[in-house]
Amino acid sequence: MRKLGRLLTILCVAVHYGLDEIIARSVGNTPALSLLRILFFWRDLSASRGVRLRLALESLGPIFIKFGQALSTRSDFVPEDIVAELSLLQSQVPPFDSDIAVEQITRYLGAHPDTLFAAFDRVPVASASVAQVHFAVLKNGVEVAVKVLRPGIRTTIERDIELMYAFARWCERVWADARRLRLPDVVNEFDKSLQDELDLMREAANCSQFGRNFEGSDLLLVPSVFWEHCSSNVMVMERVRGIPVSQTARLVSEGLDLGKLARNGVEVFLTQVFRDGFFHADMHPGNIFISVEMPTYGRYVVIDFGIVGTLNNFDKTYLAQNILAFFHHDYRRVAEAHIESGWAPPETRVEELESAVRTCCEPVFGKPLKDFSLGQLLMRLFQTSRRFNIQVQPQLVMLQKTMLNIEGLGRQLDPDLDLWETAKPILENWMKEQVGLKGIKTQLGHEAVRYGHIFPQLPRLLQQALIKLAESPEKNTALLSRLVAEQKRQGRLLNVVIYFGGGLLVGLLLFRLLAAWHFFF
């Protein structure tokens, strides 16, 4: 009944703001428009469609607001008037009462803001779907931003997630394609990311991790976290300044090169994904700024680390192989990688999948962002995956969403950006580091630290094994006889012992040297 009540709420909000009328008008259904006007004659639809859509999403809560934020970056297929309104969802969500924010801070940090800070601005500087931010000054004079979670937000999100789970399970029962898409798994990934976003201690930890990953970077600036003022509902971090990345006119007036910014943005994103396997998964324009102050002039400044994505080594290698094969027009390798990874059924014919991928990718290869849509390319690849029964991997849904956000930002900064030529050398260098001599040396160093302590123990372990054999000869005589007979028959017993002993000694020395090199260099 609770799910049904929420569904009715969604329908009522849609009707109140005339979203049905927007849909009917967009498809040119004149009879439906006439019927809607008669049925809902009492509605005031004088506001523009963009305003009505934005107000509806705000009324429905954080999940729908995030959906609107994603749409605001897709000016390639969303009308400009709607994009302009939805962009307000990135930083102009209505705030909650400041007295409630003060109450939350007092409750979760154990003291009133007037006691904790030298100064506290009760007027929020930004308000988002999950939290709002106030500026403050610490007792030592450091300027900070105080993020406070919206009260009751967990209940609202849990209610909507339950509805999404029910909808996903219903789709699997009535729509065969939904089973291949693994909709409940996709909803589960979304649910986990939202739950992580509701824990500001986790966000603070994510922020610290990004700071370590990009320590000393000339491309990205990450604010510091003040752990003594953090809890699950309140987070205090360094105040950072910059121009929102969407305000291109201001960036140009400050002397910034938009083309260079776009290329740097691609490098920052690919570094997060392939070097770290840990990437910011909520990169809408409201979370990204450009510093115009020295000495960080021209660097990206990123905030809001509540939603992050992770990839393991298998996912990173698989993705890099696919993208590099695409750059080299090696569509056969793309098809083989899908089958080898198990994402495509083993009975899939490589030639057929290769031809389908070529048909999707070849028309857009080498074109600047202004001449193609990554969203449309992903849609065509999605249709191809359905034809070949390729399962959607839930762990990559977050990455796909982030890629669309990056494309939207790239269009705003530099529509002439050649995404392919920008990404190709970065990925090639990463692959060389993974599978080249440098990668081998790095992996050996890691493994030496992990397993180097075992090799000095091998003589003792071998002695213990021989003692056990000697203690129960009746049980091992037959086995030893067969082994000796086989080695004598092949005439290689002595060679095996010599080579094994020598190899063991060389391996032991190598691992010890690598372990020492790893620690000291």
Side-chain angles (χ1 to χ4, degrees):
M1 290 301 297
R2 186 174 57 198
K3 297 172 187 174
L4 179 60
R6 178 57 174 166
L7 181 59
L8 291 175
T9 299
I10 294 173
L11 293 176
C12 289
V13 170
V15 169
H16 176 74
Y17 288 103
L19 303 189
D20 51 346
E21 185 266 349
I22 295 175
I23 296 173
R25 188 180 295 277
S26 65
V27 299
N29 193 332
T30 304
L33 278 172
S34 301
L35 180 60
L36 290 172
R37 291 192 185 111
I38 295 173
L39 290 176
F40 306 113
F41 62 90
W42 46 266
R43 295 188 300 188
D44 179 11
L45 302 182
S46 58
S48 68
R49 60 180 181 176
V51 171
R52 285 186 279 142
L53 178 58
R54 174 176 60 82
L55 294 175
L57 294 176
E58 287 179 355
S59 300
L60 291 173
I63 291 182
F64 296 90
I65 290 174
K66 290 187 176 299
F67 177 69
Q69 290 171 347
L71 286 180
S72 69
T73 65
R74 301 315 315 276
S75 57
D76 53 324
F77 66 84
V78 177
E80 292 184 5
D81 61 315
I82 294 181
V83 168
E85 281 296 327
L86 294 184
S87 63
L88 299 178
L89 294 173
Q90 294 161 5
S91 59
Q92 296 186 24
V93 178
F96 55 88
D97 193 292
S98 296
D99 289 337
I100 299 178
V102 170
E103 179 185 338
Q104 293 283 93
I105 294 171
T106 304
R107 176 182 177 185
Y108 289 99
L109 296 187
H112 194 277
D114 293 340
T115 304
L116 291 171
F117 307 106
F120 178 80
D121 190 350
R122 296 176 66 92
V123 179
V125 66
S127 181
S129 56
V130 170
Q132 70 184 31
V133 178
H134 297 257
F135 284 151
V137 180
L138 295 178
K139 296 290 187 178
N140 59 5
V142 176
E143 295 181 320
V144 295
V146 183
K147 187 172 184 177
V148 185
L149 205 65
R150 284 182 176 271
I153 191 65
R154 288 185 174 86
T155 303
T156 302
I157 286 182
E158 288 172 0
R159 181 181 57 195
D160 285 349
I161 287 293
E162 285 181 3
L163 190 62
M164 293 177 69
Y165 273 119
F167 179 73
R169 288 190 290 267
W170 177 79
C171 284
E172 283 197 323
R173 287 196 295 268
V174 301
W175 184 28
D177 229 17
R179 288 187 289 274
R180 181 184 62 83
L181 297 176
R182 298 161 63 182
L183 287 182
D185 290 340
V186 173
V187 174
N188 185 55
E189 287 291 318
F190 187 48
D191 184 13
K192 288 191 294 185
S193 69
L194 282 175
Q195 294 302 326
D196 291 347
E197 191 175 7
L198 295 178
D199 185 353
L200 296 187
M201 285 293 287
R202 184 182 293 270
E203 178 177 346
N206 292 340
C207 182
S208 292
Q209 183 64 52
F210 271 101
R212 283 192 295 272
N213 290 347
F214 285 89
E215 186 175 4
S217 171
D218 294 330
L219 301 179
L220 182 65
L221 176 65
V222 180
S224 302
V225 174
F226 297 92
W227 287 103
E228 65 274 16
H229 298 306
C230 290
S231 72
S232 59
N233 284 55
V234 180
M235 172 184 171
V236 178
M237 63 180 181
E238 175 189 7
R239 178 178 176 178
V240 291
R241 290 177 169 83
I243 298 176
V245 71
S246 57
Q247 297 181 12
T248 54
R250 288 185 60 191
L251 295 176
V252 172
S253 68
E254 291 288 344
L256 290 162
D257 183 345
L258 297 187
K260 182 180 179 181
L261 282 178
R263 294 189 296 273
N264 289 348
V266 173
E267 182 175 349
V268 167
F269 170 68
L270 293 178
T271 300
Q272 292 179 48
V273 172
F274 292 103
R275 186 195 69 183
D276 305 327
F278 185 80
F279 60 92
H280 195 299
D282 197 17
M283 299 187 71
H284 62 77
N287 288 337
I288 305 176
F289 304 85
I290 306 297
S291 174
V292 292
E293 298 180 351
M294 299 302 294
T296 59
Y297 178 83
R299 292 189 200 176
Y300 279 86
V301 181
V302 182
I303 60 173
D304 196 353
F305 300 89
I307 301 180
V308 299
T310 57
L311 297 174
N312 58 33
N313 289 332
F314 173 82
D315 291 332
K316 291 190 294 183
T317 303
Y318 165 78
L319 287 170
Q321 287 178 352
N322 273 271
I323 296 174
L324 285 175
F326 170 71
F327 287 157
H328 292 95
H329 300 261
D330 188 358
Y331 303 112
R332 184 177 185 85
R333 179 56 194 152
V334 175
E336 290 173 345
H338 273 72
I339 298 173
E340 291 170 2
S341 68
W343 292 4
E347 65 273 12
T348 303
R349 291 189 58 187
V350 176
E351 295 79 9
E352 291 183 356
L353 183 55
E354 174 191 2
S355 177
V357 173
R358 180 185 295 110
T359 302
C360 291
C361 299
E362 194 67 22
V364 304
F365 185 82
K367 291 185 176 181
L369 277 176
K370 67 180 181 180
D371 293 334
F372 82 99
S373 168
L374 182 60
Q376 293 177 0
L377 173 60
L378 291 176
M379 182 60 66
R380 286 197 293 269
L381 290 173
F382 172 79
Q383 293 170 348
T384 299
S385 69
R386 178 171 56 187
R387 172 186 167 192
F388 289 92
N389 198 30
I390 297 174
Q391 289 195 347
V392 175
Q393 303 300 308
Q395 73 272 22
L396 299 183
V397 171
M398 201 83 73
L399 179 62
Q400 293 169 356
K401 166 184 171 290
T402 306
M403 288 174 63
L404 295 179
N405 285 341
I406 294 297
E407 181 199 7
L409 295 176
R411 287 180 186 278
Q412 293 178 344
L413 290 174
D414 183 14
D416 293 315
L417 174 69
D418 190 333
L419 184 62
W420 321 119
E421 288 302 317
T422 303
K424 182 179 177 180
I426 300 172
L427 289 175
E428 286 179 337
N429 290 335
W430 181 82
M431 285 296 290
K432 289 178 183 178
E433 291 179 354
Q434 295 300 305
V435 300
L437 291 177
K438 183 178 180 180
I440 293 174
K441 182 173 69 174
T442 301
Q443 290 298 320
L444 284 175
H446 289 319
E447 295 302 323
V449 174
R450 183 177 300 178
Y451 299 113
H453 68 283
I454 296 178
F455 283 89
Q457 303 178 37
L458 286 178
R460 177 174 55 81
L461 296 175
L462 179 61
Q463 181 186 25
Q464 292 176 352
L466 292 174
I467 291 175
K468 289 183 178 179
L469 287 174
E471 289 176 349
S472 53
E474 67 283 354
K475 295 182 180 180
N476 300 288
T477 299
L479 175 61
L480 289 173
S481 299
R482 287 197 299 271
L483 291 174
V484 172
E486 180 65 19
Q487 293 297 334
K488 286 182 177 179
R489 183 183 66 80
Q490 296 178 2
R492 297 196 300 268
L493 177 59
L494 183 58
N495 289 337
V496 168
V497 173
I498 293 174
Y499 289 145
F500 178 76
L504 180 63
L505 179 61
V506 172
L508 173 61
L509 292 174
L510 178 62
F511 267 79
R512 299 299 289 180
L513 287 173
L514 283 173
W517 174 85
H518 180 78
F519 275 115
F520 290 102
F521 301 99

